[in-house]
Amino acid sequence: DAGTPAVCTESYLQFICDYANRWHSKLTGINYHSAGSDPRFFFFPSHQTFYNQLMSSTAKEMARETSEHLTRAQFWKLRYLFILINFVPNLQTDAHVALCAISPEAKTVDYVCSGGDTGLPNSPRSAGSRCVPHIFAWLASFLGNSFFPYDWRLRTDAGHVQERSRGDCAIYTVTHAQCLAFGYGITDSFPSDHQTKILNRRRRYVQDLMYQGFVDFKDGEENTQYYPLLDTKPTAFRSEGFYSLPGAVLELLPAEVANKSICYRDCPSKLALMNHCQRNARFYPGWEARQVSGTGRTLEEFVRWVENMDAMRHWKRYTEAARPLPYPANQPFRW
């Protein structure tokens, strides 16, 4: 009933990424697996300390740490970036491990925990990791201007829950990662009696570690270390449990990032934005001020001001200058 050593979990995750990169290299003809090439599947090193670093460091410090292992260009080429979240729940002595699977390809973050934790402050597991807001703050800092929070989706309830009396969290964690990397998906890849069959999965876990990973299919051989793969592209459908970033995540992002809005993404000019503010003058008091939209203020600065006004109205956290003007004296323009 004891858990598994952390070094075994890390090694297994390495085997998963190596095997998936090698398989996709053969499928596409693009080298994802050789030294110096850009991988399609990557696991973040220093898993033993990642969670503690994430929770104790600033987002900028974590971004610098990330850049030592992965460039922004390499990040956007990934299908999955896997991170092990090792933490000790409050009032407990044994460590627990969950999986954070980031898909730059689909712009999703999967927080997968066999203990029922969501990684958010309102998690049903009161002793959870609470790390998901910090993960997005780190991503925002690392990716800079290429990170738009409204493009990303989060899922926190896809993990299959283990039998609490056994230390199976690591087995579930690597199996969840394997199902994602090998294209099986999480939702339908586990049998309904997985809590019983996980005992057999333990034996296979040990076998895979003993043989140091997986091998390609070969005709005429037993292929005991072969796993079939599917080239299943990750998606971010609401029907699969993904949803927009919640307030707990947005509140930890820098204001200039958290308040970004998709409707201003392709704004062509300051004049177009001034027309927008004029049509909706009630919601943008002071928009015509020189320090807001006048000569010398760039379109980017003007957009940021409008986004901040929208955010204050959305969250109902006005400064006196940002409070919407009375209606109907300042009613919005009507066509």
Side-chain angles (χ1 to χ4, degrees), residues 114-159:
S114 62
D117 177 33
T118 65
L120 294 168
N122 63 348
S123 173
R125 179 167 177 167
S126 58
S129 69
R130 297 175 174 250
C131 69
V132 168
H134 297 270
I135 287 172
F136 278 99
W138 153 57
L139 282 177
S141 181
F142 173 59
L143 297 175
N145 292 333
S146 62
F147 179 83
F148 294 90
Y150 49 75
D151 279 346
W152 286 78
R153 296 294 181 266
L154 172 65
R155 183 169 63 176
T156 55
D157 61 354

mmCIF file of all heavy atoms in Angstrom, residues 114-159:
data_model
loop_
_atom_site.group_PDB
_atom_site.id
_atom_site.type_symbol
_atom_site.label_atom_id
_atom_site.label_comp_id
_atom_site.label_asym_id
_atom_site.label_seq_id
_atom_site.Cartn_x
_atom_site.Cartn_y
_atom_site.Cartn_z
ATOM 1 N N SER A 114 -5.498 12.528 -8.850
ATOM 2 C CA SER A 114 -6.249 11.340 -8.460
ATOM 3 C C SER A 114 -6.823 11.455 -7.055
ATOM 4 O O SER A 114 -7.554 10.576 -6.603
ATOM 5 C CB SER A 114 -5.351 10.100 -8.537
ATOM 6 O OG SER A 114 -4.255 10.215 -7.643
ATOM 7 N N GLY A 115 -6.502 12.558 -6.361
ATOM 8 C CA GLY A 115 -7.053 12.777 -5.029
ATOM 9 C C GLY A 115 -8.253 13.704 -5.027
ATOM 10 O O GLY A 115 -8.794 14.027 -3.967
ATOM 11 N N GLY A 116 -8.679 14.166 -6.213
ATOM 12 C CA GLY A 116 -9.846 15.030 -6.297
ATOM 13 C C GLY A 116 -9.550 16.504 -6.131
ATOM 14 O O GLY A 116 -10.477 17.325 -6.076
ATOM 15 N N ASP A 117 -8.278 16.879 -6.084
ATOM 16 C CA ASP A 117 -7.911 18.290 -5.948
ATOM 17 C C ASP A 117 -8.023 18.982 -7.301
ATOM 18 O O ASP A 117 -7.731 18.388 -8.344
ATOM 19 C CB ASP A 117 -6.474 18.385 -5.427
ATOM 20 C CG ASP A 117 -5.967 19.815 -5.308
ATOM 21 O OD1 ASP A 117 -6.792 20.713 -5.016
ATOM 22 O OD2 ASP A 117 -4.760 20.038 -5.493
ATOM 23 N N THR A 118 -8.439 20.248 -7.314
ATOM 24 C CA THR A 118 -8.515 21.027 -8.552
ATOM 25 C C THR A 118 -7.350 21.989 -8.710
ATOM 26 O O THR A 118 -7.207 22.613 -9.762
ATOM 27 C CB THR A 118 -9.818 21.836 -8.609
ATOM 28 O OG1 THR A 118 -9.808 22.824 -7.564
ATOM 29 C CG2 THR A 118 -11.042 20.942 -8.456
ATOM 30 N N GLY A 119 -6.528 22.143 -7.668
ATOM 31 C CA GLY A 119 -5.416 23.079 -7.741
ATOM 32 C C GLY A 119 -5.826 24.527 -7.579
ATOM 33 O O GLY A 119 -4.995 25.424 -7.695
ATOM 34 N N LEU A 120 -7.113 24.774 -7.296
ATOM 35 C CA LEU A 120 -7.635 26.129 -7.134
ATOM 36 C C LEU A 120 -7.936 26.410 -5.664
ATOM 37 O O LEU A 120 -8.096 25.462 -4.868
ATOM 38 C CB LEU A 120 -8.909 26.302 -7.962
ATOM 39 C CG LEU A 120 -8.733 26.239 -9.488
ATOM 40 C CD1 LEU A 120 -10.083 26.122 -10.174
ATOM 41 C CD2 LEU A 120 -7.970 27.468 -9.994
ATOM 42 N N PRO A 121 -8.034 27.680 -5.279
ATOM 43 C CA PRO A 121 -8.324 27.993 -3.869
ATOM 44 C C PRO A 121 -9.642 27.415 -3.374
ATOM 45 O O PRO A 121 -9.778 27.134 -2.181
ATOM 46 C CB PRO A 121 -8.363 29.528 -3.856
ATOM 47 C CG PRO A 121 -7.490 29.938 -4.997
ATOM 48 C CD PRO A 121 -7.715 28.899 -6.055
ATOM 49 N N ASN A 122 -10.630 27.231 -4.259
ATOM 50 C CA ASN A 122 -11.927 26.698 -3.843
ATOM 51 C C ASN A 122 -12.034 25.197 -4.078
ATOM 52 O O ASN A 122 -13.132 24.658 -4.225
ATOM 53 C CB ASN A 122 -13.058 27.410 -4.578
ATOM 54 C CG ASN A 122 -13.011 27.187 -6.090
ATOM 55 O OD1 ASN A 122 -12.011 26.692 -6.623
ATOM 56 N ND2 ASN A 122 -14.085 27.539 -6.774
ATOM 57 N N SER A 123 -10.908 24.520 -4.126
ATOM 58 C CA SER A 123 -10.901 23.080 -4.374
ATOM 59 C C SER A 123 -11.705 22.333 -3.316
ATOM 60 O O SER A 123 -11.660 22.680 -2.126
ATOM 61 C CB SER A 123 -9.460 22.558 -4.369
ATOM 62 O OG SER A 123 -9.435 21.145 -4.441
ATOM 63 N N PRO A 124 -12.456 21.295 -3.715
ATOM 64 C CA PRO A 124 -13.171 20.483 -2.713
ATOM 65 C C PRO A 124 -12.227 19.767 -1.761
ATOM 66 O O PRO A 124 -12.639 19.360 -0.683
ATOM 67 C CB PRO A 124 -13.962 19.493 -3.571
ATOM 68 C CG PRO A 124 -13.264 19.465 -4.889
ATOM 69 C CD PRO A 124 -12.716 20.842 -5.072
ATOM 70 N N ARG A 125 -10.972 19.632 -2.177
ATOM 71 C CA ARG A 125 -9.968 19.070 -1.271
ATOM 72 C C ARG A 125 -9.295 20.234 -0.559
ATOM 73 O O ARG A 125 -8.470 20.949 -1.146
ATOM 74 C CB ARG A 125 -8.948 18.256 -2.057
ATOM 75 C CG ARG A 125 -7.860 17.673 -1.172
ATOM 76 C CD ARG A 125 -7.038 16.631 -1.890
ATOM 77 N NE ARG A 125 -5.972 16.137 -1.041
ATOM 78 C CZ ARG A 125 -5.251 15.055 -1.287
ATOM 79 N NH1 ARG A 125 -5.501 14.339 -2.372
ATOM 80 N NH2 ARG A 125 -4.296 14.673 -0.473
ATOM 81 N N SER A 126 -9.645 20.435 0.692
ATOM 82 C CA SER A 126 -9.189 21.617 1.419
ATOM 83 C C SER A 126 -7.672 21.674 1.551
ATOM 84 O O SER A 126 -7.097 22.750 1.710
ATOM 85 C CB SER A 126 -9.828 21.648 2.816
ATOM 86 O OG SER A 126 -9.502 20.473 3.542
ATOM 87 N N ALA A 127 -7.022 20.526 1.491
ATOM 88 C CA ALA A 127 -5.563 20.481 1.619
ATOM 89 C C ALA A 127 -4.907 20.348 0.245
ATOM 90 O O ALA A 127 -3.899 19.675 0.097
ATOM 91 C CB ALA A 127 -5.147 19.316 2.522
ATOM 92 N N GLY A 128 -5.490 20.993 -0.760
ATOM 93 C CA GLY A 128 -4.967 20.888 -2.109
ATOM 94 C C GLY A 128 -3.735 21.748 -2.342
ATOM 95 O O GLY A 128 -3.265 22.464 -1.449
ATOM 96 N N SER A 129 -3.234 21.713 -3.558
ATOM 97 C CA SER A 129 -1.981 22.390 -3.875
ATOM 98 C C SER A 129 -2.150 23.893 -4.093
ATOM 99 O O SER A 129 -1.203 24.654 -3.901
ATOM 100 C CB SER A 129 -1.372 21.779 -5.144
ATOM 101 O OG SER A 129 -2.153 22.103 -6.284
ATOM 102 N N ARG A 130 -3.333 24.332 -4.562
ATOM 103 C CA ARG A 130 -3.623 25.749 -4.844
ATOM 104 C C ARG A 130 -2.610 26.366 -5.808
ATOM 105 O O ARG A 130 -2.302 27.558 -5.745
ATOM 106 C CB ARG A 130 -3.645 26.569 -3.546
ATOM 107 C CG ARG A 130 -4.737 26.134 -2.576
ATOM 108 C CD ARG A 130 -4.653 26.866 -1.268
ATOM 109 N NE ARG A 130 -5.790 26.526 -0.403
ATOM 110 C CZ ARG A 130 -6.771 27.365 -0.095
ATOM 111 N NH1 ARG A 130 -6.742 28.607 -0.568
ATOM 112 N NH2 ARG A 130 -7.759 26.995 0.675
ATOM 113 N N CYS A 131 -2.096 25.575 -6.716
ATOM 114 C CA CYS A 131 -0.997 26.061 -7.560
ATOM 115 C C CYS A 131 -1.438 26.529 -8.942
ATOM 116 O O CYS A 131 -0.639 27.157 -9.649
ATOM 117 C CB CYS A 131 0.057 24.973 -7.708
ATOM 118 S SG CYS A 131 -0.483 23.553 -8.696
ATOM 119 N N VAL A 132 -2.666 26.246 -9.362
ATOM 120 C CA VAL A 132 -3.073 26.571 -10.732
ATOM 121 C C VAL A 132 -2.964 28.067 -11.038
ATOM 122 O O VAL A 132 -2.447 28.443 -12.097
ATOM 123 C CB VAL A 132 -4.489 26.033 -11.008
ATOM 124 C CG1 VAL A 132 -5.053 26.610 -12.306
ATOM 125 C CG2 VAL A 132 -4.468 24.512 -11.080
ATOM 126 N N PRO A 133 -3.417 28.981 -10.152
ATOM 127 C CA PRO A 133 -3.210 30.406 -10.455
ATOM 128 C C PRO A 133 -1.742 30.771 -10.638
ATOM 129 O O PRO A 133 -1.399 31.606 -11.490
ATOM 130 C CB PRO A 133 -3.820 31.112 -9.231
ATOM 131 C CG PRO A 133 -4.838 30.159 -8.707
ATOM 132 C CD PRO A 133 -4.232 28.800 -8.924
ATOM 133 N N HIS A 134 -0.858 30.138 -9.868
ATOM 134 C CA HIS A 134 0.576 30.423 -9.982
ATOM 135 C C HIS A 134 1.139 29.877 -11.298
ATOM 136 O O HIS A 134 2.075 30.460 -11.868
ATOM 137 C CB HIS A 134 1.315 29.823 -8.792
ATOM 138 C CG HIS A 134 0.923 30.403 -7.473
ATOM 139 N ND1 HIS A 134 1.563 31.491 -6.923
ATOM 140 C CD2 HIS A 134 -0.070 30.066 -6.601
ATOM 141 C CE1 HIS A 134 0.994 31.795 -5.764
ATOM 142 N NE2 HIS A 134 0.006 30.946 -5.558
ATOM 143 N N ILE A 135 0.588 28.760 -11.778
ATOM 144 C CA ILE A 135 1.030 28.202 -13.053
ATOM 145 C C ILE A 135 0.734 29.177 -14.186
ATOM 146 O O ILE A 135 1.575 29.426 -15.057
ATOM 147 C CB ILE A 135 0.360 26.837 -13.300
ATOM 148 C CG1 ILE A 135 0.990 25.781 -12.376
ATOM 149 C CG2 ILE A 135 0.485 26.415 -14.762
ATOM 150 C CD1 ILE A 135 0.284 24.447 -12.387
ATOM 151 N N PHE A 136 -0.457 29.776 -14.174
ATOM 152 C CA PHE A 136 -0.796 30.719 -15.232
ATOM 153 C C PHE A 136 -0.001 32.021 -15.100
ATOM 154 O O PHE A 136 0.352 32.640 -16.107
ATOM 155 C CB PHE A 136 -2.299 31.000 -15.230
ATOM 156 C CG PHE A 136 -3.101 29.955 -15.952
ATOM 157 C CD1 PHE A 136 -3.753 28.952 -15.266
ATOM 158 C CD2 PHE A 136 -3.184 29.970 -17.331
ATOM 159 C CE1 PHE A 136 -4.486 27.983 -15.935
ATOM 160 C CE2 PHE A 136 -3.906 29.015 -18.019
ATOM 161 C CZ PHE A 136 -4.567 28.010 -17.319
ATOM 162 N N ALA A 137 0.282 32.451 -13.865
ATOM 163 C CA ALA A 137 1.114 33.642 -13.687
ATOM 164 C C ALA A 137 2.511 33.394 -14.246
ATOM 165 O O ALA A 137 3.110 34.285 -14.889
ATOM 166 C CB ALA A 137 1.186 34.012 -12.208
ATOM 167 N N TRP A 138 3.025 32.201 -14.024
ATOM 168 C CA TRP A 138 4.333 31.835 -14.578
ATOM 169 C C TRP A 138 4.281 31.810 -16.110
ATOM 170 O O TRP A 138 5.169 32.350 -16.776
ATOM 171 C CB TRP A 138 4.747 30.473 -14.017
ATOM 172 C CG TRP A 138 5.674 29.681 -14.881
ATOM 173 C CD1 TRP A 138 6.902 30.065 -15.344
ATOM 174 C CD2 TRP A 138 5.437 28.372 -15.410
ATOM 175 N NE1 TRP A 138 7.448 29.065 -16.121
ATOM 176 C CE2 TRP A 138 6.581 28.026 -16.173
ATOM 177 C CE3 TRP A 138 4.406 27.445 -15.283
ATOM 178 C CZ2 TRP A 138 6.678 26.789 -16.826
ATOM 179 C CZ3 TRP A 138 4.514 26.223 -15.928
ATOM 180 C CH2 TRP A 138 5.632 25.914 -16.688
ATOM 181 N N LEU A 139 3.227 31.204 -16.690
ATOM 182 C CA LEU A 139 3.100 31.162 -18.140
ATOM 183 C C LEU A 139 3.024 32.571 -18.734
ATOM 184 O O LEU A 139 3.640 32.859 -19.764
ATOM 185 C CB LEU A 139 1.852 30.365 -18.534
ATOM 186 C CG LEU A 139 1.945 28.841 -18.463
ATOM 187 C CD1 LEU A 139 0.606 28.218 -18.823
ATOM 188 C CD2 LEU A 139 3.034 28.315 -19.388
ATOM 189 N N ALA A 140 2.241 33.439 -18.078
ATOM 190 C CA ALA A 140 2.095 34.808 -18.583
ATOM 191 C C ALA A 140 3.434 35.527 -18.605
ATOM 192 O O ALA A 140 3.750 36.268 -19.543
ATOM 193 C CB ALA A 140 1.093 35.576 -17.725
ATOM 194 N N SER A 141 4.244 35.318 -17.559
ATOM 195 C CA SER A 141 5.552 35.965 -17.500
ATOM 196 C C SER A 141 6.515 35.359 -18.515
ATOM 197 O O SER A 141 7.265 36.075 -19.184
ATOM 198 C CB SER A 141 6.124 35.842 -16.090
ATOM 199 O OG SER A 141 7.380 36.478 -15.989
ATOM 200 N N PHE A 142 6.481 34.063 -18.659
ATOM 201 C CA PHE A 142 7.389 33.371 -19.573
ATOM 202 C C PHE A 142 7.069 33.698 -21.035
ATOM 203 O O PHE A 142 7.970 33.935 -21.846
ATOM 204 C CB PHE A 142 7.313 31.861 -19.343
ATOM 205 C CG PHE A 142 8.076 31.037 -20.339
ATOM 206 C CD1 PHE A 142 9.448 31.201 -20.504
ATOM 207 C CD2 PHE A 142 7.428 30.089 -21.117
ATOM 208 C CE1 PHE A 142 10.156 30.440 -21.422
ATOM 209 C CE2 PHE A 142 8.125 29.322 -22.039
ATOM 210 C CZ PHE A 142 9.486 29.496 -22.195
ATOM 211 N N LEU A 143 5.781 33.744 -21.381
ATOM 212 C CA LEU A 143 5.377 33.922 -22.777
ATOM 213 C C LEU A 143 5.264 35.386 -23.183
ATOM 214 O O LEU A 143 5.212 35.698 -24.369
ATOM 215 C CB LEU A 143 4.045 33.209 -23.028
ATOM 216 C CG LEU A 143 4.083 31.692 -22.833
ATOM 217 C CD1 LEU A 143 2.692 31.097 -22.988
ATOM 218 C CD2 LEU A 143 5.050 31.043 -23.809
ATOM 219 N N GLY A 144 5.178 36.287 -22.216
ATOM 220 C CA GLY A 144 5.139 37.708 -22.533
ATOM 221 C C GLY A 144 3.946 38.097 -23.388
ATOM 222 O O GLY A 144 2.811 37.686 -23.125
ATOM 223 N N ASN A 145 4.194 38.861 -24.446
ATOM 224 C CA ASN A 145 3.113 39.388 -25.274
ATOM 225 C C ASN A 145 2.368 38.331 -26.074
ATOM 226 O O ASN A 145 1.330 38.628 -26.673
ATOM 227 C CB ASN A 145 3.656 40.446 -26.241
ATOM 228 C CG ASN A 145 4.116 41.703 -25.521
ATOM 229 O OD1 ASN A 145 3.617 42.022 -24.445
ATOM 230 N ND2 ASN A 145 5.078 42.402 -26.095
ATOM 231 N N SER A 146 2.876 37.101 -26.104
ATOM 232 C CA SER A 146 2.188 36.043 -26.855
ATOM 233 C C SER A 146 1.163 35.304 -26.000
ATOM 234 O O SER A 146 0.509 34.372 -26.489
ATOM 235 C CB SER A 146 3.203 35.042 -27.414
ATOM 236 O OG SER A 146 3.911 34.396 -26.365
ATOM 237 N N PHE A 147 1.015 35.711 -24.740
ATOM 238 C CA PHE A 147 0.040 35.061 -23.856
ATOM 239 C C PHE A 147 -1.222 35.906 -23.773
ATOM 240 O O PHE A 147 -1.187 37.060 -23.332
ATOM 241 C CB PHE A 147 0.616 34.868 -22.449
ATOM 242 C CG PHE A 147 -0.348 34.220 -21.489
ATOM 243 C CD1 PHE A 147 -0.504 32.841 -21.460
ATOM 244 C CD2 PHE A 147 -1.107 34.987 -20.615
ATOM 245 C CE1 PHE A 147 -1.398 32.242 -20.578
ATOM 246 C CE2 PHE A 147 -1.996 34.401 -19.725
ATOM 247 C CZ PHE A 147 -2.141 33.029 -19.714
ATOM 248 N N PHE A 148 -2.345 35.348 -24.208
ATOM 249 C CA PHE A 148 -3.644 36.004 -24.126
ATOM 250 C C PHE A 148 -4.561 35.120 -23.276
ATOM 251 O O PHE A 148 -4.922 34.021 -23.713
ATOM 252 C CB PHE A 148 -4.250 36.214 -25.516
ATOM 253 C CG PHE A 148 -3.469 37.177 -26.374
ATOM 254 C CD1 PHE A 148 -2.447 36.718 -27.203
ATOM 255 C CD2 PHE A 148 -3.740 38.533 -26.349
ATOM 256 C CE1 PHE A 148 -1.719 37.600 -27.998
ATOM 257 C CE2 PHE A 148 -3.013 39.430 -27.134
ATOM 258 C CZ PHE A 148 -1.999 38.954 -27.955
ATOM 259 N N PRO A 149 -4.942 35.569 -22.088
ATOM 260 C CA PRO A 149 -5.709 34.684 -21.185
ATOM 261 C C PRO A 149 -7.023 34.214 -21.758
ATOM 262 O O PRO A 149 -7.475 33.104 -21.451
ATOM 263 C CB PRO A 149 -5.916 35.556 -19.938
ATOM 264 C CG PRO A 149 -5.655 36.959 -20.370
ATOM 265 C CD PRO A 149 -4.659 36.872 -21.480
ATOM 266 N N TYR A 150 -7.650 35.004 -22.634
ATOM 267 C CA TYR A 150 -8.937 34.583 -23.178
ATOM 268 C C TYR A 150 -8.788 33.472 -24.217
ATOM 269 O O TYR A 150 -9.764 32.866 -24.624
ATOM 270 C CB TYR A 150 -9.679 35.784 -23.792
ATOM 271 C CG TYR A 150 -8.856 36.622 -24.734
ATOM 272 C CD1 TYR A 150 -8.562 36.180 -26.023
ATOM 273 C CD2 TYR A 150 -8.374 37.861 -24.346
ATOM 274 C CE1 TYR A 150 -7.803 36.949 -26.878
ATOM 275 C CE2 TYR A 150 -7.617 38.642 -25.214
ATOM 276 C CZ TYR A 150 -7.333 38.182 -26.478
ATOM 277 O OH TYR A 150 -6.582 38.948 -27.329
ATOM 278 N N ASP A 151 -7.556 33.212 -24.674
ATOM 279 C CA ASP A 151 -7.320 32.117 -25.615
ATOM 280 C C ASP A 151 -7.201 30.770 -24.904
ATOM 281 O O ASP A 151 -7.336 29.721 -25.554
ATOM 282 C CB ASP A 151 -6.016 32.352 -26.388
ATOM 283 C CG ASP A 151 -6.201 33.316 -27.540
ATOM 284 O OD1 ASP A 151 -7.364 33.591 -27.907
ATOM 285 O OD2 ASP A 151 -5.183 33.817 -28.067
ATOM 286 N N TRP A 152 -6.927 30.781 -23.610
ATOM 287 C CA TRP A 152 -6.603 29.560 -22.881
ATOM 288 C C TRP A 152 -7.820 28.994 -22.162
ATOM 289 O O TRP A 152 -8.725 29.722 -21.774
ATOM 290 C CB TRP A 152 -5.476 29.826 -21.880
ATOM 291 C CG TRP A 152 -4.149 29.974 -22.550
ATOM 292 C CD1 TRP A 152 -3.680 31.064 -23.223
ATOM 293 C CD2 TRP A 152 -3.125 28.982 -22.642
ATOM 294 N NE1 TRP A 152 -2.423 30.818 -23.725
ATOM 295 C CE2 TRP A 152 -2.051 29.545 -23.386
ATOM 296 C CE3 TRP A 152 -2.997 27.686 -22.167
ATOM 297 C CZ2 TRP A 152 -0.879 28.840 -23.663
ATOM 298 C CZ3 TRP A 152 -1.824 26.986 -22.434
ATOM 299 C CH2 TRP A 152 -0.782 27.558 -23.176
ATOM 300 N N ARG A 153 -7.808 27.668 -21.990
ATOM 301 C CA ARG A 153 -8.864 26.968 -21.287
ATOM 302 C C ARG A 153 -8.249 26.077 -20.208
ATOM 303 O O ARG A 153 -7.116 25.611 -20.328
ATOM 304 C CB ARG A 153 -9.703 26.117 -22.245
ATOM 305 C CG ARG A 153 -10.474 26.939 -23.288
ATOM 306 C CD ARG A 153 -11.534 27.801 -22.630
ATOM 307 N NE ARG A 153 -12.290 28.585 -23.618
ATOM 308 C CZ ARG A 153 -11.988 29.822 -23.969
ATOM 309 N NH1 ARG A 153 -10.907 30.423 -23.444
ATOM 310 N NH2 ARG A 153 -12.719 30.474 -24.845
ATOM 311 N N LEU A 154 -9.032 25.836 -19.188
ATOM 312 C CA LEU A 154 -8.571 25.065 -18.025
ATOM 313 C C LEU A 154 -9.519 23.899 -17.792
ATOM 314 O O LEU A 154 -10.737 24.023 -17.988
ATOM 315 C CB LEU A 154 -8.535 25.972 -16.789
ATOM 316 C CG LEU A 154 -8.265 25.324 -15.429
ATOM 317 C CD1 LEU A 154 -6.858 24.723 -15.372
ATOM 318 C CD2 LEU A 154 -8.450 26.361 -14.312
ATOM 319 N N ARG A 155 -8.967 22.776 -17.362
ATOM 320 C CA ARG A 155 -9.781 21.630 -16.938
ATOM 321 C C ARG A 155 -9.197 21.092 -15.639
ATOM 322 O O ARG A 155 -7.995 20.893 -15.532
ATOM 323 C CB ARG A 155 -9.808 20.537 -18.007
ATOM 324 C CG ARG A 155 -10.692 19.348 -17.642
ATOM 325 C CD ARG A 155 -10.925 18.407 -18.824
ATOM 326 N NE ARG A 155 -9.693 17.794 -19.305
ATOM 327 C CZ ARG A 155 -9.656 16.874 -20.283
ATOM 328 N NH1 ARG A 155 -10.771 16.500 -20.891
ATOM 329 N NH2 ARG A 155 -8.500 16.364 -20.669
ATOM 330 N N THR A 156 -10.047 20.851 -14.666
ATOM 331 C CA THR A 156 -9.556 20.456 -13.341
ATOM 332 C C THR A 156 -10.237 19.213 -12.782
ATOM 333 O O THR A 156 -9.949 18.830 -11.644
ATOM 334 C CB THR A 156 -9.764 21.610 -12.336
ATOM 335 O OG1 THR A 156 -11.137 22.005 -12.342
ATOM 336 C CG2 THR A 156 -8.895 22.812 -12.696
ATOM 337 N N ASP A 157 -11.123 18.594 -13.544
ATOM 338 C CA ASP A 157 -11.869 17.464 -12.980
ATOM 339 C C ASP A 157 -11.801 16.212 -13.838
ATOM 340 O O ASP A 157 -12.662 15.329 -13.730
ATOM 341 C CB ASP A 157 -13.337 17.852 -12.776
ATOM 342 C CG ASP A 157 -14.031 18.233 -14.076
ATOM 343 O OD1 ASP A 157 -13.352 18.299 -15.118
ATOM 344 O OD2 ASP A 157 -15.255 18.456 -14.049
ATOM 345 N N ALA A 158 -10.798 16.104 -14.701
ATOM 346 C CA ALA A 158 -10.723 14.955 -15.602
ATOM 347 C C ALA A 158 -10.053 13.753 -14.952
ATOM 348 O O ALA A 158 -10.151 12.634 -15.466
ATOM 349 C CB ALA A 158 -9.977 15.327 -16.879
ATOM 350 N N GLY A 159 -9.354 13.954 -13.847
ATOM 351 C CA GLY A 159 -8.614 12.866 -13.222
ATOM 352 C C GLY A 159 -9.513 11.801 -12.625
ATOM 353 O O GLY A 159 -10.571 12.096 -12.071
#
